[in-house]
Amino acid sequence: MATPDVFPHAVPEQEAYQALTVARRSVEPALRSAVDTLPEDMRRIARYQFGWTDEHGRPSDASGGKALRPALVLLAAESVGGSADAALPAAVSVELVHNFSLLHDDLIDTDDTRRHRPTAWTVFGSDAAILAGDALLSLASGVLADSGNPAALSGVRLLNTTVQELIQGQATDLAFEQRGDVDVAECQRMAEAKTATLLATACELGALFAGAEPRRVEQLRHFGHALGLAFQHVDDLLGIWGDPDTTGKPAYSDLRARKKTLPVVFALNSDTPAGQRLTTHYHQSSGSETDPADIADLVDTAGGRTWSHAETDRLLTRALSHLDAAELTARTDELSALAHLVTRRDH
């Protein structure tokens, strides 16, 4: 398990990767123990989702994700002078909620690939994947409630509120697909609910479970929120221009589905010739004959790519300002390095 000395000093990028690696190693035993309490059918799907087994239940070394949210929990706890061990249940809970959302999102979006292998619903069926997601969500609250931490009850309330926001964000995202009048402010609010709120909660839970004073809890939450929205910009950019070998998802999947992502919505509202042409193509039915590469070029020409790059930089600066304002006692370098890493644009 993690201790106050588990994040050794290194150059910034190495610090970030070390933080993710340490978080994954620290959280996985507790995460496995929690998953083992699920009913057998749900346990089988959860183990596949986390990359521990293949579709036949045999051990696998598939990726279980970056462990970004658990890393934020543990680093936030240590940054205010607390113990990573004390915050471990919170780290497990946010990873369970994250994977609940992925199980449901993959089915809603009919995505057939995640982390370079078939999505759970394509392997086990739609109904089973929904139930497995529900099981992970229920388990997340139970892990917090059973932690024995003085902040457990507040943590459960916070997590439940976060899940409600996340669900509303997903519902809004779906509604956007049927609308042609989505503006940039609406899209940003959707991204805040769908993505930023869980990163904000990860930071807040870590600080709460470490017994931090309210001003530091608040600043760390603001840090996570700004970082989460920046992260969504990067994710949307990668969803258009990212390398499938890196992202683990098919090229142009969001464009094929006519998703109203941040750079797309900016381009649609740009009042430029490219934006007007994009509007015409985007209001055709998904799967139409328009080459998605041509649609991506229109998003770029209309300014969507440049705007999302600029927003990513602006939000990263905001996140780091909240980190400074928190006046942390430790782990500032690691949190800063992690923020830079997850907003890096490899495309």
Side-chain angles (χ1 to χ4, degrees):
M1 288 188 177
T3 69
D5 299 318
V6 295
F7 295 106
H9 179 74
V11 299
E13 186 170 304
Q14 290 176 334
E15 282 182 326
Y17 282 118
Q18 283 179 337
L20 294 172
T21 299
V22 168
R24 191 180 304 110
R25 290 175 179 170
S26 300
V27 170
E28 185 169 315
L31 187 59
R32 283 180 180 265
S33 294
V35 167
D36 282 347
T37 68
L38 294 174
E40 182 179 354
D41 289 345
M42 300 300 97
R43 187 165 65 242
R44 183 164 61 101
I45 299 170
R47 285 173 171 169
Y48 177 86
Q49 174 69 16
F50 286 111
W52 303 333
T53 61
D54 64 15
E55 63 270 28
H56 303 294
R58 297 175 301 209
S60 170
D61 59 358
S63 171
K66 295 182 290 293
L68 170 61
R69 291 150 192 86
L72 288 173
V73 172
L74 300 181
L75 286 171
E78 293 193 331
S79 75
V80 295
S83 162
D85 285 348
L88 195 56
V92 170
S93 73
V94 296
E95 189 67 354
L96 289 168
V97 167
H98 177 51
N99 279 274
F100 139 76
S101 72
L102 296 182
L103 281 165
H104 284 199
D105 287 358
D106 285 342
L107 177 54
I108 290 169
D109 297 337
T110 63
D111 287 338
D112 56 12
T113 303
R114 179 175 292 279
R115 299 168 181 164
H116 305 286
R117 65 177 188 164
T119 48
W121 74 270
T122 66
V123 175
F124 301 101
S126 303
D127 294 344
I130 291 171
L131 293 173
D134 294 344
L136 294 185
L137 179 57
S138 174
L139 184 59
S141 292
V143 168
L144 284 183
D146 294 341
S147 67
N149 190 287
L153 180 57
S154 296
V156 170
R157 289 172 176 159
L158 172 61
L159 193 71
N160 288 342
T161 299
T162 298
V163 170
Q164 293 299 322
E165 290 186 43
L166 191 157
I167 291 170
Q168 181 58 56
Q170 179 63 54
T172 304
D173 191 20
L174 288 172
F176 284 176
E177 295 180 31
Q178 309 304 318
R179 289 177 48 193
D181 60 344
V182 179
D183 64 35
V184 173
E186 283 183 292
C187 193
Q188 288 174 316
R189 288 193 295 271
M190 178 274 291
E192 287 174 343
K194 186 178 176 181
T195 302
T197 187
L198 187 55
L199 269 70
T201 293
C203 294
E204 184 171 358
L205 279 174
L208 284 173
F209 269 56
E213 58 268 43
R215 70 176 183 86
R216 283 188 169 138
V217 174
E218 182 180 10
Q219 291 297 338
L220 280 166
R221 179 172 182 83
H222 289 323
F223 164 75
H225 189 274
L227 180 59
L229 188 52
F231 179 85
Q232 187 60 58
H233 273 281
V234 171
D235 195 57
D236 287 350
L237 288 164
L238 291 173
I240 300 175
W241 292 285
D243 181 355
D245 289 339
T246 301
T247 65
K249 301 186 73 172
Y252 304 125
S253 58
D254 286 347
L255 296 183
R256 294 182 193 277
R258 302 296 189 263
K259 299 285 287 185
K260 300 295 197 308
T261 62
L262 288 160
V264 167
V265 169
F266 180 89
L268 288 169
N269 286 275
S270 65
D271 196 25
T272 62
Q276 292 165 5
R277 292 197 300 274
L278 177 66
T279 298
T280 299
H281 289 301
Y282 230 67
H283 291 167
Q284 297 171 352
S285 62
S286 61
S288 66
E289 295 301 318
T290 306
D291 187 339
D294 293 337
I295 296 179
D297 286 342
L298 289 174
V299 175
D300 193 0
T301 304
R305 191 177 192 176
T306 298
W307 174 74
S308 268
H309 282 324
E311 282 295 288
T312 300
D313 292 340
R314 182 183 69 82
L315 288 160
L316 174 60
T317 299
R318 178 190 292 179
L320 296 177
S321 72
H322 287 298
L323 206 58
D324 289 341
E327 299 179 334
L328 304 174
T329 60
R331 305 306 179 207
T332 304
D333 290 344
E334 288 89 341
L335 284 165
S336 175
L338 199 57
H340 280 92
L341 179 66
V342 300
T343 56
R344 195 180 67 190
R345 302 180 294 267
D346 292 327
H347 48 77

Short mmCIF file of all heavy atoms in Angstrom, two decimals, residues 2-62:
data_model
loop_
_atom_site.label_atom_id
_atom_site.label_comp_id
_atom_site.label_asym_id
_atom_site.label_seq_id
_atom_site.Cartn_x
_atom_site.Cartn_y
_atom_site.Cartn_z
N ALA A 2 0.24 2.37 -0.40
CA ALA A 2 0.99 3.61 -0.50
C ALA A 2 1.36 4.14 0.88
O ALA A 2 0.65 3.98 1.85
CB ALA A 2 0.15 4.66 -1.24
N THR A 3 2.49 4.79 0.95
CA THR A 3 2.93 5.46 2.16
C THR A 3 3.34 6.87 1.76
O THR A 3 3.45 7.18 0.58
CB THR A 3 4.15 4.74 2.78
OG1 THR A 3 5.27 4.90 1.92
CG2 THR A 3 3.86 3.27 2.98
N PRO A 4 3.58 7.76 2.72
CA PRO A 4 3.95 9.12 2.35
C PRO A 4 5.21 9.23 1.51
O PRO A 4 5.50 10.29 0.98
CB PRO A 4 4.14 9.81 3.72
CG PRO A 4 3.23 9.06 4.64
CD PRO A 4 3.31 7.64 4.16
N ASP A 5 6.00 8.17 1.37
CA ASP A 5 7.24 8.25 0.60
C ASP A 5 7.18 7.48 -0.71
O ASP A 5 8.22 7.20 -1.30
CB ASP A 5 8.40 7.70 1.44
CG ASP A 5 8.61 8.50 2.71
OD1 ASP A 5 8.54 9.74 2.62
OD2 ASP A 5 8.81 7.89 3.77
N VAL A 6 5.98 7.15 -1.21
CA VAL A 6 5.92 6.28 -2.37
C VAL A 6 6.10 7.01 -3.69
O VAL A 6 6.26 6.39 -4.72
CB VAL A 6 4.60 5.49 -2.43
CG1 VAL A 6 4.50 4.55 -1.26
CG2 VAL A 6 3.41 6.44 -2.49
N PHE A 7 6.05 8.35 -3.69
CA PHE A 7 6.20 9.09 -4.93
C PHE A 7 7.59 9.71 -4.98
O PHE A 7 7.79 10.85 -4.54
CB PHE A 7 5.13 10.19 -5.04
CG PHE A 7 3.73 9.66 -5.12
CD1 PHE A 7 2.87 9.74 -4.05
CD2 PHE A 7 3.27 9.09 -6.30
CE1 PHE A 7 1.58 9.27 -4.13
CE2 PHE A 7 1.98 8.61 -6.39
CZ PHE A 7 1.13 8.69 -5.31
N PRO A 8 8.60 9.00 -5.49
CA PRO A 8 9.96 9.52 -5.48
C PRO A 8 10.13 10.70 -6.42
O PRO A 8 9.37 10.87 -7.37
CB PRO A 8 10.79 8.32 -5.96
CG PRO A 8 9.84 7.51 -6.77
CD PRO A 8 8.50 7.69 -6.13
N HIS A 9 11.14 11.51 -6.16
CA HIS A 9 11.40 12.67 -7.00
C HIS A 9 11.95 12.22 -8.36
O HIS A 9 12.72 11.29 -8.47
CB HIS A 9 12.41 13.61 -6.34
CG HIS A 9 12.74 14.80 -7.18
ND1 HIS A 9 11.87 15.85 -7.33
CD2 HIS A 9 13.83 15.10 -7.93
CE1 HIS A 9 12.40 16.76 -8.14
NE2 HIS A 9 13.60 16.32 -8.51
N ALA A 10 11.51 12.91 -9.42
CA ALA A 10 12.00 12.64 -10.76
C ALA A 10 11.71 13.87 -11.60
O ALA A 10 11.12 14.84 -11.14
CB ALA A 10 11.30 11.40 -11.35
N VAL A 11 12.13 13.84 -12.88
CA VAL A 11 11.79 14.94 -13.77
C VAL A 11 10.28 14.93 -13.97
O VAL A 11 9.62 13.92 -13.74
CB VAL A 11 12.53 14.79 -15.12
CG1 VAL A 11 14.02 14.83 -14.90
CG2 VAL A 11 12.13 13.52 -15.84
N PRO A 12 9.69 16.10 -14.36
CA PRO A 12 8.22 16.22 -14.37
C PRO A 12 7.46 15.10 -15.06
O PRO A 12 6.52 14.55 -14.47
CB PRO A 12 8.02 17.57 -15.07
CG PRO A 12 9.23 18.36 -14.68
CD PRO A 12 10.34 17.37 -14.66
N GLU A 13 7.82 14.73 -16.29
CA GLU A 13 7.07 13.69 -16.97
C GLU A 13 7.21 12.36 -16.24
O GLU A 13 6.23 11.61 -16.10
CB GLU A 13 7.51 13.56 -18.42
CG GLU A 13 6.66 12.59 -19.22
CD GLU A 13 6.95 12.64 -20.70
OE1 GLU A 13 6.84 13.74 -21.28
OE2 GLU A 13 7.28 11.59 -21.30
N GLN A 14 8.39 12.07 -15.76
CA GLN A 14 8.60 10.83 -15.01
C GLN A 14 7.80 10.85 -13.71
O GLN A 14 7.25 9.84 -13.28
CB GLN A 14 10.08 10.64 -14.71
CG GLN A 14 10.92 10.30 -15.94
CD GLN A 14 12.40 10.21 -15.62
OE1 GLN A 14 12.87 10.83 -14.66
NE2 GLN A 14 13.13 9.44 -16.41
N GLU A 15 7.72 12.02 -13.07
CA GLU A 15 6.93 12.14 -11.85
C GLU A 15 5.48 11.78 -12.11
O GLU A 15 4.83 11.09 -11.31
CB GLU A 15 7.00 13.57 -11.31
CG GLU A 15 8.28 13.88 -10.56
CD GLU A 15 8.28 15.29 -10.01
OE1 GLU A 15 7.70 16.18 -10.65
OE2 GLU A 15 8.87 15.49 -8.93
N ALA A 16 4.95 12.26 -13.23
CA ALA A 16 3.55 12.00 -13.56
C ALA A 16 3.32 10.52 -13.80
O ALA A 16 2.37 9.92 -13.27
CB ALA A 16 3.13 12.81 -14.78
N TYR A 17 4.18 9.90 -14.59
CA TYR A 17 4.03 8.47 -14.86
C TYR A 17 4.22 7.64 -13.60
O TYR A 17 3.52 6.63 -13.39
CB TYR A 17 5.02 8.02 -15.94
CG TYR A 17 4.59 8.37 -17.34
CD1 TYR A 17 5.36 9.22 -18.14
CD2 TYR A 17 3.40 7.87 -17.87
CE1 TYR A 17 4.96 9.54 -19.43
CE2 TYR A 17 2.99 8.19 -19.16
CZ TYR A 17 3.78 9.03 -19.93
OH TYR A 17 3.38 9.36 -21.19
N GLN A 18 5.14 8.07 -12.74
CA GLN A 18 5.33 7.36 -11.48
C GLN A 18 4.09 7.47 -10.60
O GLN A 18 3.69 6.50 -9.95
CB GLN A 18 6.56 7.91 -10.74
CG GLN A 18 7.89 7.44 -11.33
CD GLN A 18 9.08 8.02 -10.60
OE1 GLN A 18 8.97 9.07 -9.97
NE2 GLN A 18 10.22 7.37 -10.70
N ALA A 19 3.49 8.65 -10.58
CA ALA A 19 2.28 8.83 -9.78
C ALA A 19 1.17 7.90 -10.25
O ALA A 19 0.46 7.30 -9.43
CB ALA A 19 1.82 10.29 -9.85
N LEU A 20 1.02 7.77 -11.56
CA LEU A 20 -0.01 6.88 -12.10
C LEU A 20 0.32 5.42 -11.80
O LEU A 20 -0.56 4.64 -11.43
CB LEU A 20 -0.13 7.09 -13.61
CG LEU A 20 -0.66 8.45 -14.06
CD1 LEU A 20 -0.55 8.60 -15.57
CD2 LEU A 20 -2.11 8.65 -13.62
N THR A 21 1.58 5.06 -11.94
CA THR A 21 1.99 3.68 -11.69
C THR A 21 1.81 3.31 -10.22
O THR A 21 1.27 2.24 -9.88
CB THR A 21 3.46 3.47 -12.09
OG1 THR A 21 3.60 3.72 -13.49
CG2 THR A 21 3.91 2.04 -11.81
N VAL A 22 2.23 4.21 -9.33
CA VAL A 22 2.10 3.96 -7.90
C VAL A 22 0.64 3.86 -7.51
O VAL A 22 0.23 2.99 -6.73
CB VAL A 22 2.81 5.05 -7.09
CG1 VAL A 22 2.43 4.97 -5.61
CG2 VAL A 22 4.32 4.92 -7.24
N ALA A 23 -0.19 4.75 -8.07
CA ALA A 23 -1.62 4.71 -7.75
C ALA A 23 -2.24 3.40 -8.20
O ALA A 23 -3.02 2.77 -7.47
CB ALA A 23 -2.33 5.89 -8.42
N ARG A 24 -1.88 2.96 -9.40
CA ARG A 24 -2.44 1.70 -9.91
C ARG A 24 -2.03 0.54 -9.02
O ARG A 24 -2.85 -0.31 -8.66
CB ARG A 24 -1.95 1.48 -11.34
CG ARG A 24 -2.65 0.35 -12.09
CD ARG A 24 -2.11 0.19 -13.50
NE ARG A 24 -2.20 1.43 -14.26
CZ ARG A 24 -1.17 2.18 -14.61
NH1 ARG A 24 0.06 1.84 -14.25
NH2 ARG A 24 -1.34 3.28 -15.31
N ARG A 25 -0.76 0.49 -8.65
CA ARG A 25 -0.27 -0.61 -7.80
C ARG A 25 -0.87 -0.54 -6.39
O ARG A 25 -1.13 -1.59 -5.77
CB ARG A 25 1.25 -0.56 -7.73
CG ARG A 25 1.93 -0.95 -9.03
CD ARG A 25 3.44 -0.75 -8.93
NE ARG A 25 4.12 -1.14 -10.15
CZ ARG A 25 5.41 -0.90 -10.41
NH1 ARG A 25 6.15 -0.28 -9.49
NH2 ARG A 25 5.95 -1.28 -11.55
N SER A 26 -1.06 0.65 -5.89
CA SER A 26 -1.59 0.81 -4.54
C SER A 26 -3.06 0.45 -4.48
O SER A 26 -3.53 -0.15 -3.51
CB SER A 26 -1.39 2.26 -4.07
OG SER A 26 -0.03 2.61 -4.05
N VAL A 27 -3.82 0.85 -5.51
CA VAL A 27 -5.26 0.68 -5.49
C VAL A 27 -5.69 -0.72 -5.92
O VAL A 27 -6.71 -1.23 -5.43
CB VAL A 27 -5.91 1.76 -6.39
CG1 VAL A 27 -7.39 1.48 -6.61
CG2 VAL A 27 -5.73 3.14 -5.77
N GLU A 28 -4.95 -1.35 -6.80
CA GLU A 28 -5.43 -2.60 -7.39
C GLU A 28 -5.76 -3.69 -6.36
O GLU A 28 -6.81 -4.34 -6.48
CB GLU A 28 -4.45 -3.14 -8.43
CG GLU A 28 -5.01 -4.37 -9.13
CD GLU A 28 -4.22 -4.79 -10.35
OE1 GLU A 28 -3.85 -3.91 -11.14
OE2 GLU A 28 -3.97 -6.00 -10.49
N PRO A 29 -4.92 -3.95 -5.35
CA PRO A 29 -5.31 -5.00 -4.38
C PRO A 29 -6.64 -4.70 -3.70
O PRO A 29 -7.48 -5.60 -3.56
CB PRO A 29 -4.14 -5.00 -3.38
CG PRO A 29 -2.98 -4.47 -4.16
CD PRO A 29 -3.56 -3.43 -5.07
N ALA A 30 -6.85 -3.46 -3.29
CA ALA A 30 -8.11 -3.09 -2.64
C ALA A 30 -9.27 -3.12 -3.63
O ALA A 30 -10.40 -3.51 -3.28
CB ALA A 30 -8.00 -1.71 -2.01
N LEU A 31 -8.99 -2.75 -4.86
CA LEU A 31 -10.02 -2.79 -5.89
C LEU A 31 -10.43 -4.22 -6.20
O LEU A 31 -11.63 -4.54 -6.33
CB LEU A 31 -9.50 -2.10 -7.16
CG LEU A 31 -10.47 -1.88 -8.32
CD1 LEU A 31 -11.65 -1.03 -7.90
CD2 LEU A 31 -9.72 -1.22 -9.49
N ARG A 32 -9.45 -5.09 -6.27
CA ARG A 32 -9.75 -6.51 -6.52
C ARG A 32 -10.57 -7.09 -5.35
O ARG A 32 -11.52 -7.86 -5.57
CB ARG A 32 -8.46 -7.31 -6.69
CG ARG A 32 -7.79 -7.15 -8.06
CD ARG A 32 -6.52 -7.97 -8.13
NE ARG A 32 -5.84 -7.86 -9.40
CZ ARG A 32 -5.99 -8.72 -10.42
NH1 ARG A 32 -6.81 -9.76 -10.27
NH2 ARG A 32 -5.33 -8.55 -11.55
N SER A 33 -10.20 -6.73 -4.13
CA SER A 33 -10.94 -7.24 -2.97
C SER A 33 -12.38 -6.77 -3.00
O SER A 33 -13.30 -7.53 -2.67
CB SER A 33 -10.26 -6.77 -1.68
OG SER A 33 -8.98 -7.35 -1.53
N ALA A 34 -12.58 -5.51 -3.39
CA ALA A 34 -13.94 -4.99 -3.47
C ALA A 34 -14.74 -5.71 -4.56
O ALA A 34 -15.88 -6.13 -4.34
CB ALA A 34 -13.92 -3.49 -3.75
N VAL A 35 -14.14 -5.88 -5.73
CA VAL A 35 -14.82 -6.56 -6.85
C VAL A 35 -15.14 -8.00 -6.49
O VAL A 35 -16.18 -8.54 -6.91
CB VAL A 35 -13.95 -6.47 -8.13
CG1 VAL A 35 -14.47 -7.41 -9.21
CG2 VAL A 35 -13.93 -5.03 -8.65
N ASP A 36 -14.30 -8.63 -5.70
CA ASP A 36 -14.53 -10.02 -5.32
C ASP A 36 -15.79 -10.20 -4.47
O ASP A 36 -16.27 -11.33 -4.29
CB ASP A 36 -13.32 -10.58 -4.55
CG ASP A 36 -12.18 -10.96 -5.48
OD1 ASP A 36 -12.41 -11.03 -6.70
OD2 ASP A 36 -11.06 -11.16 -4.97
N THR A 37 -16.33 -9.12 -3.93
CA THR A 37 -17.56 -9.22 -3.14
C THR A 37 -18.81 -9.20 -4.01
O THR A 37 -19.92 -9.42 -3.50
CB THR A 37 -17.66 -8.06 -2.12
OG1 THR A 37 -17.84 -6.82 -2.82
CG2 THR A 37 -16.41 -7.98 -1.26
N LEU A 38 -18.66 -8.94 -5.29
CA LEU A 38 -19.81 -8.90 -6.20
C LEU A 38 -20.34 -10.30 -6.48
O LEU A 38 -19.59 -11.29 -6.39
CB LEU A 38 -19.41 -8.23 -7.52
CG LEU A 38 -19.04 -6.75 -7.49
CD1 LEU A 38 -18.53 -6.33 -8.86
CD2 LEU A 38 -20.22 -5.91 -7.06
N PRO A 39 -21.60 -10.42 -6.87
CA PRO A 39 -22.12 -11.72 -7.31
C PRO A 39 -21.30 -12.24 -8.49
O PRO A 39 -20.70 -11.45 -9.25
CB PRO A 39 -23.56 -11.40 -7.73
CG PRO A 39 -23.91 -10.16 -6.99
CD PRO A 39 -22.63 -9.37 -6.87
N GLU A 40 -21.28 -13.53 -8.67
CA GLU A 40 -20.37 -14.16 -9.62
C GLU A 40 -20.48 -13.59 -11.03
O GLU A 40 -19.45 -13.29 -11.67
CB GLU A 40 -20.62 -15.67 -9.66
CG GLU A 40 -19.68 -16.41 -10.61
CD GLU A 40 -19.93 -17.92 -10.62
OE1 GLU A 40 -20.75 -18.38 -9.80
OE2 GLU A 40 -19.31 -18.60 -11.44
N ASP A 41 -21.68 -13.45 -11.55
CA ASP A 41 -21.83 -12.96 -12.92
C ASP A 41 -21.31 -11.54 -13.07
O ASP A 41 -20.66 -11.20 -14.08
CB ASP A 41 -23.30 -13.02 -13.36
CG ASP A 41 -23.80 -14.44 -13.58
OD1 ASP A 41 -22.95 -15.36 -13.67
OD2 ASP A 41 -25.02 -14.64 -13.66
N MET A 42 -21.58 -10.70 -12.09
CA MET A 42 -21.11 -9.32 -12.14
C MET A 42 -19.60 -9.26 -11.94
O MET A 42 -18.90 -8.44 -12.54
CB MET A 42 -21.81 -8.47 -11.07
CG MET A 42 -23.33 -8.40 -11.21
SD MET A 42 -23.88 -7.69 -12.79
CE MET A 42 -24.21 -9.16 -13.77
N ARG A 43 -19.10 -10.13 -11.10
CA ARG A 43 -17.66 -10.19 -10.84
C ARG A 43 -16.90 -10.53 -12.13
O ARG A 43 -15.84 -9.96 -12.41
CB ARG A 43 -17.40 -11.23 -9.76
CG ARG A 43 -15.96 -11.27 -9.27
CD ARG A 43 -15.87 -12.05 -7.96
NE ARG A 43 -16.21 -13.46 -8.10
CZ ARG A 43 -17.21 -14.06 -7.49
NH1 ARG A 43 -18.02 -13.37 -6.69
NH2 ARG A 43 -17.43 -15.35 -7.65
N ARG A 44 -17.45 -11.45 -12.91
CA ARG A 44 -16.79 -11.86 -14.15
C ARG A 44 -16.67 -10.69 -15.13
O ARG A 44 -15.62 -10.48 -15.75
CB ARG A 44 -17.58 -13.01 -14.78
CG ARG A 44 -16.97 -13.59 -16.04
CD ARG A 44 -17.58 -14.95 -16.36
NE ARG A 44 -19.02 -14.83 -16.57
CZ ARG A 44 -19.61 -14.80 -17.78
NH1 ARG A 44 -18.85 -14.90 -18.87
NH2 ARG A 44 -20.90 -14.70 -17.90
N ILE A 45 -17.74 -9.92 -15.26
CA ILE A 45 -17.70 -8.78 -16.19
C ILE A 45 -16.79 -7.68 -15.66
O ILE A 45 -16.03 -7.06 -16.42
CB ILE A 45 -19.13 -8.24 -16.41
CG1 ILE A 45 -20.01 -9.33 -17.02
CG2 ILE A 45 -19.11 -7.01 -17.31
CD1 ILE A 45 -21.49 -8.97 -17.06
N ALA A 46 -16.85 -7.43 -14.36
CA ALA A 46 -16.00 -6.40 -13.76
C ALA A 46 -14.52 -6.74 -13.94
O ALA A 46 -13.70 -5.85 -14.26
CB ALA A 46 -16.34 -6.22 -12.29
N ARG A 47 -14.17 -7.97 -13.73
CA ARG A 47 -12.77 -8.37 -13.89
C ARG A 47 -12.30 -8.16 -15.33
O ARG A 47 -11.16 -7.75 -15.58
CB ARG A 47 -12.60 -9.84 -13.49
CG ARG A 47 -12.63 -10.07 -11.98
CD ARG A 47 -12.64 -11.55 -11.66
NE ARG A 47 -12.46 -11.81 -10.22
CZ ARG A 47 -12.64 -12.99 -9.67
NH1 ARG A 47 -13.00 -14.04 -10.42
NH2 ARG A 47 -12.47 -13.15 -8.37
N TYR A 48 -13.19 -8.45 -16.28
CA TYR A 48 -12.85 -8.19 -17.69
C TYR A 48 -12.70 -6.69 -17.92
O TYR A 48 -11.74 -6.25 -18.58
CB TYR A 48 -13.95 -8.75 -18.59
CG TYR A 48 -13.72 -8.46 -20.06
CD1 TYR A 48 -12.93 -9.30 -20.84
CD2 TYR A 48 -14.29 -7.34 -20.67
CE1 TYR A 48 -12.71 -9.03 -22.19
CE2 TYR A 48 -14.07 -7.07 -22.01
CZ TYR A 48 -13.29 -7.92 -22.77
OH TYR A 48 -13.07 -7.64 -24.10
N GLN A 49 -13.61 -5.89 -17.39
CA GLN A 49 -13.58 -4.44 -17.57
C GLN A 49 -12.28 -3.85 -17.06
O GLN A 49 -11.70 -2.93 -17.68
CB GLN A 49 -14.77 -3.80 -16.85
CG GLN A 49 -14.77 -2.28 -16.83
CD GLN A 49 -15.00 -1.66 -18.19
OE1 GLN A 49 -15.44 -2.32 -19.13
NE2 GLN A 49 -14.68 -0.37 -18.32
N PHE A 50 -11.78 -4.35 -15.94
CA PHE A 50 -10.54 -3.83 -15.37
C PHE A 50 -9.29 -4.43 -16.00
O PHE A 50 -8.18 -4.08 -15.60
CB PHE A 50 -10.53 -4.05 -13.86
CG PHE A 50 -11.43 -3.12 -13.10
CD1 PHE A 50 -12.58 -3.59 -12.48
CD2 PHE A 50 -11.16 -1.77 -13.03
CE1 PHE A 50 -13.43 -2.74 -11.79
CE2 PHE A 50 -12.00 -0.90 -12.35
CZ PHE A 50 -13.14 -1.39 -11.73
N GLY A 51 -9.47 -5.32 -16.96
CA GLY A 51 -8.32 -5.88 -17.68
C GLY A 51 -7.64 -7.04 -16.98
O GLY A 51 -6.58 -7.49 -17.41
N TRP A 52 -8.27 -7.57 -15.91
CA TRP A 52 -7.63 -8.65 -15.14
C TRP A 52 -7.81 -10.01 -15.79
O TRP A 52 -7.01 -10.91 -15.55
CB TRP A 52 -8.20 -8.69 -13.72
CG TRP A 52 -8.06 -7.40 -12.98
CD1 TRP A 52 -7.10 -6.44 -13.17
CD2 TRP A 52 -8.92 -6.91 -11.95
NE1 TRP A 52 -7.30 -5.39 -12.31
CE2 TRP A 52 -8.41 -5.64 -11.55
CE3 TRP A 52 -10.05 -7.42 -11.31
CZ2 TRP A 52 -9.00 -4.89 -10.55
CZ3 TRP A 52 -10.64 -6.66 -10.30
CH2 TRP A 52 -10.12 -5.41 -9.93
N THR A 53 -8.89 -10.18 -16.55
CA THR A 53 -9.16 -11.46 -17.20
C THR A 53 -9.62 -11.22 -18.63
O THR A 53 -10.03 -10.11 -19.00
CB THR A 53 -10.27 -12.25 -16.47
OG1 THR A 53 -11.48 -11.49 -16.48
CG2 THR A 53 -9.87 -12.56 -15.03
N ASP A 54 -9.57 -12.29 -19.43
CA ASP A 54 -10.14 -12.21 -20.77
C ASP A 54 -11.61 -12.62 -20.71
O ASP A 54 -12.17 -12.83 -19.62
CB ASP A 54 -9.35 -13.06 -21.76
CG ASP A 54 -9.39 -14.56 -21.45
OD1 ASP A 54 -10.25 -15.00 -20.64
OD2 ASP A 54 -8.59 -15.31 -22.03
N GLU A 55 -12.24 -12.75 -21.88
CA GLU A 55 -13.67 -13.05 -21.91
C GLU A 55 -14.02 -14.42 -21.36
O GLU A 55 -15.17 -14.70 -21.00
CB GLU A 55 -14.21 -12.91 -23.34
CG GLU A 55 -13.61 -13.88 -24.34
CD GLU A 55 -12.36 -13.32 -25.01
OE1 GLU A 55 -11.65 -12.49 -24.39
OE2 GLU A 55 -12.07 -13.74 -26.15
N HIS A 56 -13.00 -15.28 -21.25
CA HIS A 56 -13.22 -16.63 -20.71
C HIS A 56 -12.86 -16.73 -19.23
O HIS A 56 -12.91 -17.83 -18.65
CB HIS A 56 -12.40 -17.65 -21.51
CG HIS A 56 -12.69 -17.63 -22.98
ND1 HIS A 56 -13.90 -18.00 -23.50
CD2 HIS A 56 -11.90 -17.26 -24.03
CE1 HIS A 56 -13.87 -17.87 -24.83
NE2 HIS A 56 -12.67 -17.43 -25.17
N GLY A 57 -12.49 -15.62 -18.64
CA GLY A 57 -12.13 -15.62 -17.23
C GLY A 57 -10.69 -15.98 -16.96
O GLY A 57 -10.30 -16.13 -15.79
N ARG A 58 -9.88 -16.11 -18.01
CA ARG A 58 -8.47 -16.44 -17.82
C ARG A 58 -7.67 -15.18 -17.52
O ARG A 58 -8.00 -14.11 -18.01
CB ARG A 58 -7.92 -17.11 -19.09
CG ARG A 58 -8.59 -18.43 -19.41
CD ARG A 58 -8.13 -19.00 -20.73
NE ARG A 58 -8.37 -18.09 -21.85
CZ ARG A 58 -8.60 -18.50 -23.10
NH1 ARG A 58 -8.61 -19.79 -23.39
NH2 ARG A 58 -8.81 -17.61 -24.06
N PRO A 59 -6.62 -15.27 -16.70
CA PRO A 59 -5.83 -14.08 -16.37
C PRO A 59 -5.35 -13.35 -17.60
O PRO A 59 -4.98 -13.97 -18.61
CB PRO A 59 -4.65 -14.66 -15.57
CG PRO A 59 -5.19 -15.92 -14.98
CD PRO A 59 -6.13 -16.48 -16.02
N SER A 60 -5.36 -12.04 -17.54
CA SER A 60 -4.98 -11.20 -18.68
C SER A 60 -4.13 -10.04 -18.18
O SER A 60 -4.25 -9.62 -17.02
CB SER A 60 -6.24 -10.67 -19.38
OG SER A 60 -5.92 -9.69 -20.34
N ASP A 61 -3.29 -9.52 -19.05
CA ASP A 61 -2.49 -8.35 -18.72
C ASP A 61 -2.96 -7.14 -19.52
O ASP A 61 -2.20 -6.21 -19.78
CB ASP A 61 -1.00 -8.60 -18.95
CG ASP A 61 -0.69 -8.97 -20.39
OD1 ASP A 61 -1.62 -9.08 -21.22
OD2 ASP A 61 0.51 -9.16 -20.70
N ALA A 62 -4.23 -7.14 -19.92
CA ALA A 62 -4.78 -6.01 -20.67
C ALA A 62 -4.78 -4.75 -19.81
O ALA A 62 -4.80 -4.82 -18.57
CB ALA A 62 -6.19 -6.33 -21.14
#
